[in-house]
Amino acid sequence: MSNLLTIAMPKGRIFIEAVELLRKAGYKLPPEFDDSRKLIIDVPEEGLRFILSKPMDVATYVEHGVADVGIAGKDVLLEEERDVYELLDLKISYCYLAVAGLPDTKMNDVAPRVATKYPNVAEAYFREQGEQVEIIKLNGSIELAPIIGLSDRIVDIVSTGRTLKENGLVEYERIKDVTSRFVVNPVSYRIKDRQIDDMVKRLSEVV
Ligand code: PRP
């Protein structure tokens, strides 16, 4: 068992901003962070081990304790409902969850279909609206669904809005704002409280 503090990081667009934030907080991260295909990067000088995971899996690693802490989007936390403590809003990677579809279209009256990477979020949202929908789970390129007739609506992340626009889709409702959060495994927090509190303090100073 390593006594490095293990931190699960989301690969992809959040990664760059998260690394920047950690550097701002004073962590000396080697250049391999900027261009590497490695999935585990140890930085023993800082007492840290980084696990580079799919964004949707960060909270899973933290819940199971293979990562002590992690950086996860609020979208992932809402979807996955993992047993982790959310200690800090890092206020990076701002985007929002929205309902979108083809312009000037109504949802089908009978069994409307909603395609999404976020089945739980979508299900809960439409239930609150009193609408019964069939959820179609996809893993990416969600915007294809209404264009090719797979669904009436999508629930997906909107960041710059370019993907919707370039595919001729419009936003119908905004569901929730999303930023990245610092999350912690409850047992790790008891055992490595000093290291974790130090990281939270340093991050909160630069957020
Ligand atoms: C996300 C999201 C949208 C897009 C929104 O997809 O699912 O498709 O980004 O960003 P925009 O508003 O700036 O265009 P991602 O690029 O993560 O890939 P995916 O389609 O594989 O999920």
Side-chain angles (χ1 to χ4, degrees):
M1 194 54 197
S2 151
N3 53 17
L4 299 175
L5 187 75
T6 304
I7 171 164
M9 297 277 280
K11 288 199 291 186
R13 46 179 114 183
I14 309 176
F15 184 73
I16 301 161
E17 284 185 62
V19 167
E20 204 177 284
L21 191 72
L22 285 163
R23 285 190 170 134
K24 256 211 263 174
Y27 293 98
K28 304 239 171 336
L29 305 181
E32 63 183 307
F33 269 84
D34 303 315
D35 179 28
S36 170
R37 305 286 291 176
K38 274 191 172 177
L39 298 175
I40 299 180
I41 304 178
D42 283 352
V43 188
E45 310 77 44
E46 296 286 3
L48 296 175
R49 161 169 291 169
F50 291 85
I51 295 178
L52 274 52
S53 88
K54 281 279 178 195
M56 199 58 104
D57 294 334
V58 165
T60 309
Y61 291 109
V62 176
E63 180 184 71
H64 288 277
V66 289
D68 299 305
V69 302
I71 292 178
K74 186 67 185 174
D75 53 333
V76 170
L77 299 174
L78 290 169
E79 178 62 26
E80 293 277 312
E81 294 192 328
R82 296 279 167 182
D83 188 11
V84 297
Y85 295 154
E86 189 185 310
L87 291 192
L88 192 63
D89 182 351
L90 298 172
K91 303 200 171 128
I92 55 169
S93 308
Y94 169 77
C95 54
Y96 57 93
L97 281 159
V99 180
L102 288 169
D104 306 318
T105 53
K106 283 204 159 47
M107 294 240 282
N108 214 325
D109 286 340
V110 186
R113 287 171 302 171
V114 175
T116 187
K117 247 185 320 200
Y118 303 93
N120 295 326
V121 170
E123 176 96 54
Y125 176 76
F126 284 101
R127 199 184 320 114
E128 269 169 34
Q129 307 297 307
E131 297 200 54
Q132 209 178 357
V133 300
E134 181 192 343
I135 303 288
I136 299 176
K137 165 82 165 49
L138 293 176
N139 292 304
S141 303
I142 314 297
E143 291 80 1
L144 270 174
I147 303 169
I148 59 173
L150 178 63
S151 72
D152 301 285
R153 293 284 184 266
I154 61 171
V155 166
D156 201 13
I157 285 292
V158 180
S159 175
T160 61
R162 261 189 76 187
T163 311
L164 288 182
K165 195 157 180 256
E166 291 187 14
N167 290 287
L169 301 179
V170 293
E171 198 180 302
Y172 282 96
E173 290 120 39
R174 225 174 228 247
I175 300 180
K176 188 111 194 149
D177 285 346
V178 168
T179 49
S180 298
R181 311 298 163 103
F182 184 76
V183 295
V184 176
N185 172 279
V187 176
S188 296
Y189 198 30
R190 279 207 299 275
I191 300 168
K192 301 184 177 176
D193 57 328
R194 201 186 44 77
Q195 277 163 289
I196 293 172
D197 280 339
D198 177 59
M199 187 172 251
V200 170
K201 183 167 172 284
R202 287 166 72 172
L203 284 171
S204 58
E205 278 164 5
V206 294
V207 160

